[in-house]
Amino acid sequence: MTPIKAEPNAQVRLLDVQAIDTALAQLEHRRRTLPEHAEIARLEADRAALASSLVAADTAVSDLELEQAQAERDLQPVRDRLVRNQQRIAAGSVSDPTALAAMVEEVEHLKKRISDLEDAELEVMEQLETETSGREILRARAAALAETLAGLSAKRDTQLNELAADVAERRAERDQLTPELPPPLLALYTKLGVSHGGVGAAELRQGRCTGCQLDINAADLRVFRAAPADEVLRCEECSRILIRTPHSGL
Ligand SMILES: [Zn+2]
């Protein structure tokens, strides 16, 4: 396989492109792993749970309100009848003693019935009060949660915008550099980057490949030393493009 040729300057430019690509990968990693993502997801789950608790609380409150209204409706005819009976007794309009006695007895019965219905209604009202204040607590919690979420979302968005601006800046720098590279070199670099964790090109530094961090053996170093400056070298160990610099130790 004929080695690719590229001017030494272009080869060094490739290291700059690699540095930008590494920075871009780090920016992407930061974008994906912002702590706010996990925090927001957790709070969204809390919000969903709270929303269904609120639905249940709304249902309980409205059921109890209906029950109280029904209790009031049940009481009204009994109260009316009591008042009517009491008026008739007070007016002396019942002359028959047996009928009067029955009416007096019914008055007592109606009073007892009213008292029982009122006790039942009171119990419903107490439950209603408990449910209503429980719902208020849930509503307050939901409002606080919504506020926390809004704050976190804003914080996340600010960071995402900053990261996006950094990415745009790096991409612009990269776009300035890549036209200086011979297309076959850039293509090889891109291909190697995909299979080598995003690092397709590495500096040969002090006799070592900075891609795989292995020392180049003496025989390969001799070959590298003899290679023309425009020949693109490859690491025998990791096959990455090896770039010579004044620090290569050749
Ligand atoms: Zn290597």
Side-chain angles (χ1 to χ4, degrees):
M1 198 175 71
T2 339
I4 292 173
K5 298 277 182 182
E7 286 306 313
N9 276 350
Q11 293 193 34
V12 172
R13 282 285 149 270
L14 184 59
L15 279 184
D16 295 338
V17 170
Q18 177 65 74
I20 291 171
D21 286 344
T22 301
L24 282 169
Q26 284 163 353
L27 289 169
E28 171 58 15
H29 177 75
R30 276 178 57 201
R31 188 185 69 78
R32 272 187 287 109
T33 58
L34 284 180
E36 284 75 17
H37 291 319
E39 183 77 347
I40 287 170
R42 193 176 63 75
L43 293 182
E44 287 290 3
D46 286 356
R47 174 148 82 175
L50 207 46
S52 56
S53 300
L54 264 171
V55 169
D58 281 339
T59 307
V61 166
S62 77
D63 285 353
L64 287 164
E65 280 168 350
L66 288 175
E67 215 176 311
Q68 194 202 339
Q70 186 58 50
E72 234 0 83
R73 273 197 301 278
D74 291 346
L75 266 166
Q76 204 48 52
V78 190
R79 281 176 178 147
D80 291 348
R81 191 170 173 88
L82 175 66
V83 168
R84 231 171 21 243
N85 284 359
Q86 283 172 329
Q87 279 168 350
R88 286 175 72 190
I89 293 166
S93 55
V94 186
S95 48
D96 174 28
T98 314
L100 183 62
M103 194 167 281
V104 168
E105 197 181 318
E106 199 196 350
V107 162
E108 287 316 305
H109 173 75
L110 288 170
K111 280 181 177 168
K112 173 77 174 65
R113 175 91 186 111
I114 287 170
S115 163
D116 289 348
L117 285 172
E118 282 176 347
D119 284 351
E121 187 186 7
L122 202 62
E123 210 170 292
V124 171
M125 286 166 77
E126 279 166 2
Q127 284 178 36
L128 182 58
E129 203 181 306
T130 306
E131 286 294 338
T132 305
S133 60
R135 183 174 65 175
E136 283 316 304
I137 291 167
L138 288 177
R139 280 178 176 168
R141 218 183 281 164
L145 193 55
E147 203 176 313
T148 307
L149 268 167
L152 274 172
S153 301
K155 202 173 153 196
R156 175 200 58 193
D157 293 346
T158 302
Q159 293 180 83
L160 288 179
N161 288 339
E162 284 170 8
L163 286 169
D166 283 354
V167 165
E169 202 177 306
R170 301 292 170 133
R171 290 221 173 109
E173 287 172 31
R174 195 183 194 281
D175 290 346
Q176 296 278 315
L177 290 175
T178 47
E180 297 176 28
L181 301 176
L185 179 64
L186 191 58
L188 176 63
Y189 162 78
T190 306
K191 194 181 122 199
L192 285 168
V194 170
S195 53
H196 289 70
V199 181
E203 183 188 359
L204 172 62
R205 196 177 177 90
Q206 311 300 347
R208 164 180 284 226
C209 166
T210 55
C212 62
Q213 308 300 338
L214 292 175
D215 287 329
I216 308 294
N217 66 52
D220 286 338
L221 276 181
R222 272 195 299 278
V223 173
F224 290 169
R225 237 172 251 134
D230 66 348
E231 185 179 315
V232 174
L233 306 181
R234 303 280 296 275
C235 172
E236 286 296 325
E237 294 296 337
C238 67
S239 79
R240 289 186 174 92
I241 297 165
L242 265 183
I243 309 288
R244 281 161 284 181
T245 71
H247 314 289
S248 289
L250 287 179

